Amino acid sequence: MPKRLFTLVILWLALVSFPANARPADLSIAIGKSFPAIDTLADIEEHDADARACLHGLCWPRTEFSAEVETPLQGRGDALVRFPSPVTTGSDKNDRVAMQWYAARDEQGHATKAPAIIVVHESGSGMTVGQLMAKGLRNQGFHTFMIQLPGYGLRKEGSRKTDGDLFLLRIKQSIADVRRARDAVAALPLVDADHIAVQGTSLGGFVASDAAALDSGFDSVFLLLSGGDITDILQHGERESAEVRKKLEASGFGGDQLPKLVNPIEPLRIAHRLNPQRTWLYSGIYDNVVPLKNGIALAEAAQLAPEHHIRMSANHYSGVIYIPYVLNHIREGIEASIRVD
């Protein structure tokens, strides 16, 4: 992605997002406190045997837990939210989820009550697009929570090698973390829990689609540069997809082993459980990382109407120029859903 193009989008967000008198959101009512939460993951009700088997592999026993709010990392939101992952990997560092909270503000810059969006970042180590989306959606009037996926940010472990088995475990953990994040967010002050959405980009889109398909926990779902048939994407996709393929092949998960590895997390197995009236997919026509055909496959599996599958004249990187449009479109989609409710 051209640096100049990315810089222009960031500048646009900076110019239109913050009034001259804006100041940091005051979350003193939350920082330093712990808020009790409970898993609301619904019982599995699924007639299709394959989908039911997939769901059993992704769900976890419901329990009570706590969402703890801490002071933010410098330049990374207004607060930091921590809670235990429902899936354990044997690492205390990785198994404690971290979310960057960007608080919705009123015209005076004070934190205010508003709906929330869980933002799931892309595969880049800097989580740059995820943070860009979180900031942009906050500026659309929502509380946003950019969740740091396993192995990223505060959960990163420098000495742990990622092999095929750990890859699968971390994706399963990511899906569970995103769904539990919904319940952690619902327990926080200022969050209007009547509408909590999820937005995911690229890798985050795969995770978000599976997390949203577990049950009806999320009120709206927005998937950017994502799709279905992970095996096909890894076998034929370029750039990031090719890099993942090489790493998996090096650890013995190439050829016939690849479909067996990724089948437990394949979105197409459960995409029919997404609400087609409240799910939107944004695909790049010239995307060579997650090709358009894979976006179409997911849209068809989820039975999305044409107006819910937006096709952008872009590839996986130049799609950044559409972010201002996507941000506005997400706000309009949530507002429409709230009016229906």
Side-chain angles (χ1 to χ4, degrees):
M1 176 173 55
K3 288 184 178 179
R4 184 178 180 185
L5 190 62
F6 190 73
T7 301
L8 287 174
V9 174
I10 291 177
L11 287 174
W12 178 87
L13 286 170
L15 289 172
V16 304
S17 302
F18 298 99
N21 63 344
R23 53 184 172 180
D26 180 11
L27 291 182
S28 58
I29 61 172
I31 292 178
K33 298 181 176 63
S34 179
F35 299 89
I38 187 169
D39 289 313
T40 62
L41 182 68
D43 292 333
I44 296 175
E45 295 184 4
E46 175 57 57
H47 298 295
D48 182 83
D50 181 65
R52 191 164 59 250
C54 181
L55 292 168
H56 277 294
L58 297 176
C59 292
W60 65 93
R62 290 165 293 202
T63 187
E64 297 178 354
F65 63 98
S66 295
E68 301 172 355
V69 184
E70 303 174 358
T71 55
L73 301 173
Q74 186 173 6
R76 298 297 177 94
D78 301 301
L80 183 68
V81 181
R82 308 301 302 267
F83 62 90
S85 172
V87 175
T88 59
T89 64
S91 166
D92 292 339
K93 183 175 184 179
N94 180 70
D95 294 347
R96 189 170 182 236
V97 184
M99 294 193 298
Q100 299 166 205
W101 183 357
Y102 296 86
R105 304 172 179 175
D106 59 22
E107 293 181 356
Q108 288 71 44
H110 299 293
T112 187
K113 187 173 184 179
I117 305 175
I118 309 297
V119 176
V120 194
H121 62 79
E122 76 287 8
S123 62
S125 59
M127 306 169 285
T128 307
V129 176
Q131 293 180 79
L132 182 63
M133 294 299 294
K135 293 175 183 177
L137 290 169
R138 182 271 307 280
N139 299 328
Q140 295 288 336
F142 304 102
H143 287 287
T144 60
F145 298 82
M146 199 211 74
I147 184 170
Q148 297 180 353
L149 296 179
Y152 287 83
L154 294 174
R155 308 174 71 182
K156 185 176 182 179
E157 301 168 288
S159 61
R160 198 168 189 185
K161 183 179 178 181
T162 301
D163 58 16
D165 293 328
L166 184 57
F167 167 83
L168 178 59
L169 177 58
R170 281 186 168 173
I171 296 298
K172 284 187 172 183
Q173 185 180 48
S174 297
I175 294 165
D177 290 349
V178 169
R179 177 57 184 85
R180 175 172 276 188
R182 184 261 171 229
D183 295 325
V185 165
L188 299 177
L190 298 176
V191 169
D192 181 355
D194 287 339
H195 198 103
I196 298 177
V198 63
Q199 185 279 319
T201 300
S202 193
L203 166 66
F206 294 103
V207 171
S209 60
D210 276 348
L214 294 180
D215 61 2
S216 57
F218 291 104
D219 299 289
S220 300
V221 181
F222 303 92
L223 310 171
L224 177 60
L225 302 173
S226 188
D229 195 345
I230 297 177
T231 297
D232 180 71
I233 292 170
L234 292 180
Q235 288 177 334
H236 302 106
E238 301 177 14
R239 303 289 289 270
E240 284 96 331
S241 297
E243 291 174 7
V244 173
R245 178 177 67 248
K246 291 178 182 178
K247 290 180 180 179
L248 293 177
E249 288 176 345
S251 60
F253 287 90
D256 294 339
Q257 295 301 312
L258 183 60
K260 296 178 183 179
L261 176 68
V262 302
N263 189 56
I265 54 174
E266 173 53 56
L268 296 184
R269 298 177 68 189
I270 54 177
H272 62 278
R273 295 171 58 85
L274 295 170
N275 184 339
Q277 302 301 318
R278 299 193 174 203
T279 301
W280 287 264
L281 173 63
Y282 307 86
S283 296
I285 295 175
Y286 308 109
D287 195 336
N288 58 8
V289 178
V290 183
L292 177 61
K293 66 175 182 176
N294 298 96
I296 293 174
L298 181 63
E300 290 180 347
Q303 299 183 324
L304 300 186
E307 59 270 24
H308 280 250
H309 185 197
I310 294 86
R311 305 184 187 193
M312 307 176 295
S313 183
N315 60 34
H316 203 73
Y317 307 99
S318 63
V320 69
I321 65 173
Y322 285 91
I323 285 182
Y325 162 78
V326 173
L327 296 175
N328 286 324
H329 193 265
I330 290 175
R331 174 180 51 77
E332 293 171 355
I334 291 178
E335 289 177 346
S337 297
I338 291 176
R339 285 195 297 270
V340 171
D341 292 339

